[in-house]
Each structure stands twice: as structure tokens, then as C-alpha cells.
């Protein structure tokens, strides 16, 4: 008997059987297309019954965030992501004096933020500002409006502007209290996708509208703070901040 020939003959018989067996297993895996870890009945492509962690992930800035539902199913959601943020805080008080009936507009408060709108993204910009303003001591005003004017690239955006009335003190006896207020507002703007980057400048400027029967009397006002340093008497400090979100 030729032993070599017999072994080859048996191998030739087993080879097709092995091929059929492993092919069926591979086909079964491809058909099911589900892998379970710590479970024998996966309900997703990868079903993990327990905790998991990922190491050495590549850091990148994407357009999606990963979320889960109450059953642990993962999905990706396209939503606004924080891209940039910043703030400008006033460095000093800004004072102005008016006489009689007088309106003073566009008072420079040194409150401006340049905001970068990146190309090829939907962008949401949120601007928030807070500006203390009022009279100085011993300068109780007549009928006066005082406020903040909101600008985008030197053009007023009215939904961002605000003003208030300063109450009139006829007795003129209150020489230890400033007649003041603080104006705070938020402005939101959406940008469609642009072909190129765009820089937009948002700024806050002061506004005074005074009406006085005494045309020869002068009244003084302050914006941003009472004064720098410790003697600010809780006026606070004016600021303007921005947040840029993209998706």
C-alpha cells in the first residue's frame, strides 16, 4: 500500500469539507453582522453589556457629538459646539458733562470685541454686555435718559440697545447718593455658511439725553464704573463678552 498516496487522498477529501465548514461560519457572521460582549443575544452591530473605555483616541474637532438614549444606544447628533469665547472689561470710568437740553450719542466706552466667523460653518454668536452708568455726587440730574447703544461694524443694531430714565430729585439735597443704573443685555445672531472667514466687530457706546429748564446748569455723568481700584463702591465694572458656536 502506498501510504503517501493514501494521506493525500484523505486530505483531498477533508479539504472541501473544511472549506465548506469555515465558509458557513464566515457567512453566518456576515449575515448576523452583530457582535456581543458579555451577552449572547446582541441587538446591535456591537452590543456591550457592561462598561467600556477607549484609549489613545485621536484628537480632532468634528461636527458631531455622541449621545445615548436610556437603553444605552449610541447615536451622533449635529449640534452647535463652542468654537471661541472672550471678554473685554472696562479699564476706567468715562465721564461726560451736559448743559441744558442736550443729547450726547456714541460716547466711546472702549467696549469692543472682534469676533471671527469661520468659513464653511453655520455659526451662532451670542454677545452679552453689562454697563453701570449714572451721575456723579452732588449732580442730581433733571429729566434724563441714559443708556447703551449697541453697534455691529459701526451700525446700530436696535435690538441690542437699551436706555433708562434717571429719576429727578427736585430737592437737590441728596449729596451722598449717585442716581445710577446698570444696563445688561444679550444679542444673538446666526450666520449661514460663508465661503471665507469674516471678522465682525461688536461694540457698546454710551448715550445721554438730558432735558433741563436751567439752560446754564451743567450736570455730570459716568459710565463703566465709579473709578478704578478699591474705591469703586460696588458699581462693578462694565464688560462685553462673546461666545461663538459652530456646526
Amino acid at each position: 500500500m502506498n501510504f503517501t498516496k493514501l494521506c493525500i487522498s484523505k486530505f483531498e477529501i477533508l479539504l472541501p469539507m473544511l472549506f465548506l465548514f469555515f465558509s458557513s461560519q464566515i457567512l453566518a457572521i456576515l449575515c448576523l453582522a452583530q457582535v456581543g460582549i458579555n451577552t449572547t443575544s446582541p441587538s446591535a452591530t456591537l452590543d456591550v453589556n457592561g462598561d467600556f473605555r477607549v484609549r489613545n483616541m485621536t484628537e480632532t474637532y468634528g461636527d458631531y457629538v455622541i449621545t445615548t438614549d436610556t437603553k444605552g444606544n449610541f447615536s451622533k447628533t449635529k449640534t452647535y459646539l463652542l468654537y471661541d469665547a472672550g471678554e473685554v472689561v472696562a479699564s476706567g470710568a468715562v465721564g461726560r458733562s451736559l448743559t441744558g437740553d442736550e443729547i450726547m450719542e456714541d460716547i466711546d466706552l472702549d467696549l469692543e470685541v472682534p469676533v471671527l466667523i469661520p468659513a464653511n460653518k453655520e455659526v451662532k454668536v451670542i454677545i452679552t454686555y453689562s454697563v453701570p452708568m449714572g451721575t456723579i455726587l452732588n449732580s442730581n440730574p433733571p429729566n434724563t435718559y441714559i443708556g447703551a447703544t449697541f453697534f455691529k461694524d459701526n451700525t446700530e443694531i436696535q435690538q441690542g440697545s437699551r436706555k433708562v430714565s434717571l429719576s429727578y430729585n427736585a430737592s437737590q439735597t441728596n449729596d451722598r447718593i449717585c442716581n445710577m443704573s446698570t444696563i445688561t443685555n444679550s444679542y444673538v445672531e446666526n450666520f449661514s455658511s460663508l465661503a471665507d472667514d469674516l471678522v465682525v466687530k461688536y461694540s457698546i457706546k454710551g448715550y445721554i439725553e438730558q432735558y433741563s429748564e436751567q439752560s446754564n446748569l451743567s450736570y455730570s455723568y459716568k459710565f463703566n464704573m465709579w473709578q478704578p481700584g478699591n474705591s469703586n463702591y460696588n458699581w462693578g465694572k462694565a464688560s462685553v463678552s462673546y461666545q461663538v458656536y459652530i456646526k
Side-chain angles (χ1 to χ4, degrees):
M1 178 183 294
N2 190 329
F3 183 75
T4 303
K5 185 175 182 180
L6 177 62
C7 289
I8 292 173
S9 299
K10 289 183 177 180
F11 181 76
E12 289 175 346
I13 295 172
L14 289 173
L15 184 61
M17 295 176 65
L18 290 172
F19 176 78
L20 289 173
F21 173 78
F22 286 110
S23 297
S24 64
Q25 297 302 309
I26 294 172
L27 182 62
I29 293 174
L30 292 175
C31 290
L32 291 174
Q34 292 179 332
V35 176
I37 298 178
N38 204 25
T39 178
T40 57
S41 55
S43 59
T45 304
L46 176 62
D47 191 337
V48 180
N49 182 18
D51 298 332
F52 74 94
R53 71 175 180 178
V54 180
R55 306 188 188 193
N56 300 321
M57 292 184 66
T58 301
E59 293 186 9
T60 183
Y61 196 94
D63 295 328
Y64 295 88
V65 294
I66 301 300
T67 61
T68 62
D69 62 17
T70 56
K71 296 182 179 180
N73 295 309
F74 281 78
S75 62
K76 64 179 182 179
T77 302
K78 191 169 186 179
T79 186
Y80 282 107
L81 302 174
L82 181 63
Y83 173 78
D84 190 20
E87 181 184 40
V88 169
V89 179
S91 59
V94 175
R96 292 291 188 273
S97 294
L98 280 70
T99 303
D101 291 348
E102 186 177 356
I103 296 176
M104 188 174 292
E105 301 178 283
D106 301 345
I107 302 170
D108 187 6
L109 305 181
D110 199 24
L111 294 173
E112 181 179 275
V113 287
V115 177
L116 173 64
I117 311 300
N120 304 313
K121 299 289 184 182
E122 294 178 51
V123 180
K124 183 185 294 290
V125 176
I126 302 175
I127 306 293
T128 302
Y129 69 84
S130 179
V131 184
M133 57 188 69
T135 65
I136 67 170
L137 296 175
N138 298 313
S139 185
N140 294 294
N143 301 312
T144 303
Y145 294 116
I146 191 169
T149 309
F150 183 78
F151 288 88
K152 172 188 174 184
D153 288 335
N154 297 317
T155 299
E156 183 186 358
I157 305 298
Q158 292 189 4
Q159 55 265 50
S161 298
R162 295 290 187 272
K163 71 178 182 181
V164 295
S165 301
L166 293 182
S167 59
Y168 174 55
N169 184 356
S171 66
Q172 299 288 314
T173 59
N174 195 348
D175 59 357
R176 301 189 65 184
I177 296 295
C178 295
N179 196 336
M180 65 165 297
S181 183
T182 297
I183 291 183
T184 301
N185 195 21
S186 293
Y187 171 80
V188 180
E189 185 170 4
N190 295 305
F191 293 83
S192 300
S193 180
L194 303 173
D196 301 301
D197 289 349
L198 174 67
V199 175
V200 179
K201 293 182 179 180
Y202 296 96
S203 60
I204 316 299
K205 296 185 179 182
Y207 175 88
I208 307 171
E209 185 177 346
Q210 175 180 286
Y211 297 98
S212 174
E213 296 178 358
Q214 304 293 328
S215 60
N216 61 332
L217 294 182
S218 179
Y219 299 91
S220 297
Y221 304 86
K222 276 192 175 184
F223 293 85
N224 289 353
M225 64 187 75
W226 176 252
Q227 66 181 26
N230 295 328
S231 299
N232 195 36
Y233 307 108
N234 279 354
W235 272 50
K237 292 186 177 181
S239 65
V240 55
S241 64
Y242 67 91
Q243 294 176 316
V244 180
Y245 296 87
I246 64 172
K247 72 173 180 178

Short mmCIF file of all heavy atoms in Angstrom, two decimals, residues 99-147:
data_model
loop_
_atom_site.label_atom_id
_atom_site.label_comp_id
_atom_site.label_asym_id
_atom_site.label_seq_id
_atom_site.Cartn_x
_atom_site.Cartn_y
_atom_site.Cartn_z
N THR A 99 -25.10 120.40 29.39
CA THR A 99 -25.70 121.64 29.85
C THR A 99 -27.04 121.86 29.16
O THR A 99 -27.12 121.73 27.92
CB THR A 99 -24.78 122.83 29.57
OG1 THR A 99 -23.52 122.61 30.20
CG2 THR A 99 -25.38 124.13 30.08
N GLY A 100 -28.07 122.17 29.94
CA GLY A 100 -29.38 122.46 29.35
C GLY A 100 -29.96 121.26 28.63
O GLY A 100 -29.77 120.12 29.03
N ASP A 101 -30.71 121.55 27.54
CA ASP A 101 -31.24 120.48 26.71
C ASP A 101 -30.13 120.02 25.77
O ASP A 101 -29.72 120.77 24.86
CB ASP A 101 -32.44 120.99 25.89
CG ASP A 101 -33.65 121.27 26.77
OD1 ASP A 101 -33.64 120.86 27.95
OD2 ASP A 101 -34.59 121.91 26.28
N GLU A 102 -29.67 118.81 25.96
CA GLU A 102 -28.55 118.34 25.15
C GLU A 102 -28.62 116.82 25.02
O GLU A 102 -28.99 116.11 25.95
CB GLU A 102 -27.22 118.75 25.78
CG GLU A 102 -26.00 118.42 24.91
CD GLU A 102 -24.70 118.92 25.52
OE1 GLU A 102 -24.74 119.59 26.57
OE2 GLU A 102 -23.64 118.63 24.94
N ILE A 103 -28.24 116.34 23.84
CA ILE A 103 -28.15 114.90 23.58
C ILE A 103 -26.72 114.59 23.19
O ILE A 103 -26.15 115.24 22.31
CB ILE A 103 -29.12 114.46 22.47
CG1 ILE A 103 -30.58 114.68 22.91
CG2 ILE A 103 -28.90 112.98 22.13
CD1 ILE A 103 -31.59 114.36 21.82
N MET A 104 -26.15 113.58 23.83
CA MET A 104 -24.79 113.15 23.51
C MET A 104 -24.83 111.67 23.14
O MET A 104 -25.22 110.83 23.96
CB MET A 104 -23.85 113.40 24.68
CG MET A 104 -22.37 113.16 24.34
SD MET A 104 -21.27 113.64 25.71
CE MET A 104 -21.49 115.43 25.70
N GLU A 105 -24.45 111.37 21.91
CA GLU A 105 -24.51 110.00 21.41
C GLU A 105 -23.11 109.45 21.15
O GLU A 105 -22.13 110.18 21.09
CB GLU A 105 -25.32 109.95 20.11
CG GLU A 105 -26.74 110.44 20.23
CD GLU A 105 -27.48 110.41 18.92
OE1 GLU A 105 -27.24 111.29 18.08
OE2 GLU A 105 -28.28 109.48 18.73
N ASP A 106 -23.05 108.13 20.98
CA ASP A 106 -21.82 107.43 20.57
C ASP A 106 -20.63 107.78 21.46
O ASP A 106 -19.53 108.07 20.99
CB ASP A 106 -21.49 107.75 19.11
CG ASP A 106 -22.60 107.35 18.15
OD1 ASP A 106 -23.49 106.60 18.57
OD2 ASP A 106 -22.58 107.81 17.00
N ILE A 107 -20.85 107.76 22.78
CA ILE A 107 -19.77 108.01 23.72
C ILE A 107 -18.88 106.77 23.78
O ILE A 107 -19.35 105.67 24.10
CB ILE A 107 -20.34 108.33 25.12
CG1 ILE A 107 -21.26 109.55 25.04
CG2 ILE A 107 -19.22 108.56 26.12
CD1 ILE A 107 -22.05 109.79 26.32
N ASP A 108 -17.61 106.94 23.47
CA ASP A 108 -16.69 105.81 23.41
C ASP A 108 -16.42 105.27 24.80
O ASP A 108 -15.86 105.95 25.66
CB ASP A 108 -15.38 106.24 22.75
CG ASP A 108 -14.44 105.06 22.50
OD1 ASP A 108 -14.85 103.90 22.73
OD2 ASP A 108 -13.29 105.30 22.06
N LEU A 109 -16.82 104.03 25.05
CA LEU A 109 -16.62 103.37 26.34
C LEU A 109 -15.48 102.36 26.30
O LEU A 109 -15.21 101.68 27.30
CB LEU A 109 -17.91 102.67 26.79
CG LEU A 109 -19.18 103.54 26.87
CD1 LEU A 109 -20.35 102.70 27.34
CD2 LEU A 109 -18.95 104.73 27.78
N ASP A 110 -14.83 102.25 25.16
CA ASP A 110 -13.74 101.28 24.98
C ASP A 110 -14.21 99.86 25.25
O ASP A 110 -13.53 99.06 25.88
CB ASP A 110 -12.55 101.64 25.88
CG ASP A 110 -11.25 100.97 25.43
OD1 ASP A 110 -11.15 100.63 24.24
OD2 ASP A 110 -10.35 100.80 26.27
N LEU A 111 -15.43 99.55 24.77
CA LEU A 111 -16.01 98.21 24.91
C LEU A 111 -16.29 97.66 23.52
O LEU A 111 -17.36 97.89 22.95
CB LEU A 111 -17.30 98.27 25.74
CG LEU A 111 -17.16 98.66 27.20
CD1 LEU A 111 -18.54 98.83 27.84
CD2 LEU A 111 -16.34 97.64 27.97
N GLU A 112 -15.33 96.97 22.97
CA GLU A 112 -15.45 96.41 21.62
C GLU A 112 -14.80 95.03 21.58
O GLU A 112 -13.74 94.82 22.15
CB GLU A 112 -14.79 97.32 20.59
CG GLU A 112 -14.90 96.80 19.15
CD GLU A 112 -14.27 97.74 18.15
OE1 GLU A 112 -14.96 98.68 17.70
OE2 GLU A 112 -13.07 97.53 17.82
N VAL A 113 -15.48 94.09 20.89
CA VAL A 113 -14.92 92.74 20.72
C VAL A 113 -14.95 92.38 19.24
O VAL A 113 -15.99 92.46 18.58
CB VAL A 113 -15.71 91.69 21.54
CG1 VAL A 113 -15.41 91.82 23.01
CG2 VAL A 113 -17.20 91.77 21.28
N PRO A 114 -13.79 91.98 18.67
CA PRO A 114 -13.77 91.45 17.31
C PRO A 114 -14.08 89.95 17.36
O PRO A 114 -13.49 89.20 18.14
CB PRO A 114 -12.33 91.71 16.86
CG PRO A 114 -11.54 91.71 18.12
CD PRO A 114 -12.45 92.17 19.23
N VAL A 115 -15.02 89.52 16.55
CA VAL A 115 -15.47 88.12 16.57
C VAL A 115 -15.20 87.48 15.22
O VAL A 115 -15.62 88.01 14.18
CB VAL A 115 -16.97 88.03 16.91
CG1 VAL A 115 -17.45 86.59 16.86
CG2 VAL A 115 -17.23 88.63 18.29
N LEU A 116 -14.50 86.36 15.22
CA LEU A 116 -14.20 85.64 13.99
C LEU A 116 -15.34 84.69 13.65
O LEU A 116 -15.72 83.84 14.46
CB LEU A 116 -12.90 84.84 14.14
CG LEU A 116 -12.55 83.91 12.97
CD1 LEU A 116 -12.29 84.71 11.69
CD2 LEU A 116 -11.35 83.04 13.31
N ILE A 117 -15.88 84.84 12.43
CA ILE A 117 -16.90 83.92 11.89
C ILE A 117 -16.18 82.98 10.93
O ILE A 117 -15.79 83.38 9.83
CB ILE A 117 -18.02 84.69 11.16
CG1 ILE A 117 -18.55 85.85 12.02
CG2 ILE A 117 -19.13 83.74 10.77
CD1 ILE A 117 -19.11 85.44 13.34
N PRO A 118 -15.94 81.72 11.32
CA PRO A 118 -15.17 80.81 10.45
C PRO A 118 -15.95 80.41 9.21
O PRO A 118 -17.18 80.34 9.21
CB PRO A 118 -14.90 79.60 11.35
CG PRO A 118 -16.01 79.62 12.35
CD PRO A 118 -16.35 81.07 12.58
N ALA A 119 -15.21 80.17 8.13
CA ALA A 119 -15.82 79.79 6.85
C ALA A 119 -16.37 78.36 6.91
O ALA A 119 -15.94 77.54 7.72
CB ALA A 119 -14.79 79.90 5.75
N ASN A 120 -17.33 78.10 6.05
CA ASN A 120 -17.89 76.76 5.81
C ASN A 120 -18.54 76.16 7.06
O ASN A 120 -18.55 74.94 7.24
CB ASN A 120 -16.80 75.82 5.29
CG ASN A 120 -16.14 76.35 4.04
OD1 ASN A 120 -16.81 76.79 3.11
ND2 ASN A 120 -14.82 76.33 4.01
N LYS A 121 -19.09 77.00 7.92
CA LYS A 121 -19.78 76.54 9.11
C LYS A 121 -21.03 77.38 9.33
O LYS A 121 -21.07 78.55 8.98
CB LYS A 121 -18.89 76.67 10.36
CG LYS A 121 -17.61 75.87 10.32
CD LYS A 121 -17.88 74.39 10.44
CE LYS A 121 -16.57 73.61 10.48
NZ LYS A 121 -16.82 72.14 10.56
N GLU A 122 -22.06 76.75 9.89
CA GLU A 122 -23.17 77.52 10.42
C GLU A 122 -22.74 78.06 11.78
O GLU A 122 -22.23 77.30 12.62
CB GLU A 122 -24.42 76.65 10.57
CG GLU A 122 -24.99 76.15 9.25
CD GLU A 122 -26.20 75.26 9.47
OE1 GLU A 122 -27.12 75.69 10.21
OE2 GLU A 122 -26.22 74.15 8.93
N VAL A 123 -22.94 79.35 12.01
CA VAL A 123 -22.37 79.99 13.20
C VAL A 123 -23.46 80.73 13.98
O VAL A 123 -24.31 81.39 13.40
CB VAL A 123 -21.25 80.99 12.80
CG1 VAL A 123 -20.67 81.67 14.04
CG2 VAL A 123 -20.15 80.28 12.01
N LYS A 124 -23.40 80.59 15.30
CA LYS A 124 -24.28 81.35 16.19
C LYS A 124 -23.39 82.17 17.13
O LYS A 124 -22.50 81.62 17.79
CB LYS A 124 -25.17 80.42 17.00
CG LYS A 124 -26.17 81.14 17.91
CD LYS A 124 -26.96 80.17 18.78
CE LYS A 124 -27.87 79.30 17.94
NZ LYS A 124 -29.01 80.06 17.34
N VAL A 125 -23.63 83.48 17.17
CA VAL A 125 -22.85 84.38 18.01
C VAL A 125 -23.76 84.94 19.10
O VAL A 125 -24.87 85.39 18.82
CB VAL A 125 -22.25 85.54 17.19
CG1 VAL A 125 -21.53 86.53 18.10
CG2 VAL A 125 -21.29 85.01 16.13
N ILE A 126 -23.29 84.90 20.35
CA ILE A 126 -24.02 85.46 21.48
C ILE A 126 -23.15 86.54 22.12
O ILE A 126 -22.03 86.27 22.55
CB ILE A 126 -24.37 84.38 22.51
CG1 ILE A 126 -25.21 83.27 21.87
CG2 ILE A 126 -25.12 85.00 23.71
CD1 ILE A 126 -25.51 82.12 22.80
N ILE A 127 -23.68 87.78 22.14
CA ILE A 127 -22.99 88.90 22.76
C ILE A 127 -23.75 89.29 24.03
O ILE A 127 -24.97 89.46 23.99
CB ILE A 127 -22.92 90.12 21.81
CG1 ILE A 127 -22.30 89.72 20.46
CG2 ILE A 127 -22.15 91.26 22.47
CD1 ILE A 127 -20.85 89.36 20.53
N THR A 128 -23.04 89.44 25.12
CA THR A 128 -23.64 89.86 26.39
C THR A 128 -22.84 91.03 26.95
O THR A 128 -21.61 90.97 26.97
CB THR A 128 -23.66 88.70 27.41
OG1 THR A 128 -24.37 87.59 26.85
CG2 THR A 128 -24.32 89.13 28.71
N TYR A 129 -23.56 92.06 27.38
CA TYR A 129 -22.83 93.19 27.96
C TYR A 129 -23.54 93.67 29.23
O TYR A 129 -24.73 93.45 29.43
CB TYR A 129 -22.68 94.34 26.96
CG TYR A 129 -23.95 95.07 26.58
CD1 TYR A 129 -24.46 96.10 27.36
CD2 TYR A 129 -24.63 94.74 25.41
CE1 TYR A 129 -25.62 96.78 27.00
CE2 TYR A 129 -25.79 95.41 25.04
CZ TYR A 129 -26.28 96.43 25.84
OH TYR A 129 -27.42 97.10 25.49
N SER A 130 -22.76 94.35 30.07
CA SER A 130 -23.27 94.94 31.31
C SER A 130 -22.51 96.23 31.56
O SER A 130 -21.27 96.20 31.63
CB SER A 130 -23.10 93.97 32.48
OG SER A 130 -23.57 94.54 33.68
N VAL A 131 -23.24 97.35 31.66
CA VAL A 131 -22.60 98.65 31.81
C VAL A 131 -23.26 99.44 32.94
O VAL A 131 -24.41 99.85 32.82
CB VAL A 131 -22.67 99.47 30.50
CG1 VAL A 131 -21.90 100.78 30.66
CG2 VAL A 131 -22.13 98.68 29.33
N PRO A 132 -22.55 99.67 34.06
CA PRO A 132 -23.07 100.60 35.07
C PRO A 132 -22.93 102.04 34.59
O PRO A 132 -21.97 102.39 33.91
CB PRO A 132 -22.18 100.33 36.29
CG PRO A 132 -20.95 99.71 35.76
CD PRO A 132 -21.31 99.03 34.48
N MET A 133 -23.92 102.88 34.94
CA MET A 133 -23.91 104.27 34.48
C MET A 133 -24.75 105.12 35.41
O MET A 133 -25.70 104.63 36.04
CB MET A 133 -24.43 104.35 33.05
CG MET A 133 -25.84 103.78 32.87
SD MET A 133 -26.35 103.66 31.14
CE MET A 133 -25.26 102.38 30.53
N GLY A 134 -24.43 106.40 35.53
CA GLY A 134 -25.21 107.29 36.38
C GLY A 134 -24.55 108.63 36.56
O GLY A 134 -23.64 109.01 35.81
N THR A 135 -25.01 109.35 37.57
CA THR A 135 -24.50 110.70 37.83
C THR A 135 -23.33 110.63 38.81
O THR A 135 -23.11 109.60 39.46
CB THR A 135 -25.59 111.58 38.44
OG1 THR A 135 -25.94 111.04 39.73
CG2 THR A 135 -26.82 111.61 37.57
N ILE A 136 -22.64 111.76 38.93
CA ILE A 136 -21.66 111.87 40.00
C ILE A 136 -22.36 112.45 41.23
O ILE A 136 -23.51 112.89 41.15
CB ILE A 136 -20.46 112.75 39.58
CG1 ILE A 136 -20.89 114.22 39.40
CG2 ILE A 136 -19.82 112.23 38.31
CD1 ILE A 136 -19.73 115.16 39.22
N LEU A 137 -21.68 112.46 42.36
CA LEU A 137 -22.26 113.04 43.58
C LEU A 137 -22.52 114.53 43.40
O LEU A 137 -21.80 115.23 42.69
CB LEU A 137 -21.31 112.82 44.76
CG LEU A 137 -21.06 111.36 45.16
CD1 LEU A 137 -20.01 111.29 46.27
CD2 LEU A 137 -22.34 110.68 45.59
N ASN A 138 -23.57 115.03 44.07
CA ASN A 138 -23.95 116.44 44.00
C ASN A 138 -24.32 116.89 42.59
O ASN A 138 -24.20 118.06 42.25
CB ASN A 138 -22.83 117.34 44.53
CG ASN A 138 -22.51 117.07 45.98
OD1 ASN A 138 -23.41 116.98 46.80
ND2 ASN A 138 -21.24 116.93 46.30
N SER A 139 -24.76 115.92 41.76
CA SER A 139 -25.15 116.29 40.41
C SER A 139 -26.44 115.59 40.06
O SER A 139 -26.52 114.83 39.10
CB SER A 139 -24.04 115.92 39.40
OG SER A 139 -24.38 116.39 38.11
N ASN A 140 -27.46 115.80 40.90
CA ASN A 140 -28.75 115.17 40.64
C ASN A 140 -29.33 115.74 39.35
O ASN A 140 -29.50 116.96 39.22
CB ASN A 140 -29.70 115.43 41.80
CG ASN A 140 -29.23 114.75 43.08
OD1 ASN A 140 -29.18 113.53 43.14
ND2 ASN A 140 -28.85 115.55 44.07
N PRO A 141 -29.62 114.88 38.40
CA PRO A 141 -29.96 115.37 37.06
C PRO A 141 -31.40 115.86 36.94
O PRO A 141 -32.26 115.51 37.76
CB PRO A 141 -29.75 114.13 36.21
CG PRO A 141 -30.13 113.00 37.12
CD PRO A 141 -29.64 113.42 38.47
N PRO A 142 -31.67 116.60 35.91
CA PRO A 142 -33.05 116.91 35.54
C PRO A 142 -33.64 115.69 34.83
O PRO A 142 -33.18 114.57 35.04
CB PRO A 142 -32.89 118.10 34.59
CG PRO A 142 -31.54 117.90 33.99
CD PRO A 142 -30.70 117.26 35.04
N ASN A 143 -34.63 115.91 33.98
CA ASN A 143 -35.23 114.79 33.25
C ASN A 143 -34.21 114.26 32.24
O ASN A 143 -33.85 114.94 31.28
CB ASN A 143 -36.49 115.25 32.53
CG ASN A 143 -37.52 115.81 33.50
OD1 ASN A 143 -37.81 115.21 34.52
ND2 ASN A 143 -38.04 116.99 33.21
N THR A 144 -33.76 113.02 32.48
CA THR A 144 -32.65 112.50 31.69
C THR A 144 -32.85 111.03 31.35
O THR A 144 -33.25 110.23 32.19
CB THR A 144 -31.32 112.66 32.45
OG1 THR A 144 -31.12 114.03 32.77
CG2 THR A 144 -30.15 112.16 31.63
N TYR A 145 -32.54 110.69 30.09
CA TYR A 145 -32.37 109.30 29.68
C TYR A 145 -30.87 109.02 29.62
O TYR A 145 -30.08 109.87 29.18
CB TYR A 145 -32.95 109.04 28.29
CG TYR A 145 -34.45 109.17 28.18
CD1 TYR A 145 -35.01 110.14 27.37
CD2 TYR A 145 -35.29 108.28 28.84
CE1 TYR A 145 -36.39 110.26 27.24
CE2 TYR A 145 -36.66 108.39 28.72
CZ TYR A 145 -37.21 109.36 27.92
OH TYR A 145 -38.57 109.48 27.80
N ILE A 146 -30.49 107.82 30.03
CA ILE A 146 -29.10 107.40 29.90
C ILE A 146 -29.11 105.95 29.43
O ILE A 146 -30.00 105.18 29.80
CB ILE A 146 -28.34 107.57 31.24
CG1 ILE A 146 -26.83 107.39 31.03
CG2 ILE A 146 -28.86 106.61 32.30
CD1 ILE A 146 -26.01 107.81 32.25
N GLY A 147 -28.15 105.59 28.58
CA GLY A 147 -28.23 104.24 28.04
C GLY A 147 -26.99 103.78 27.33
O GLY A 147 -25.93 104.41 27.35
#
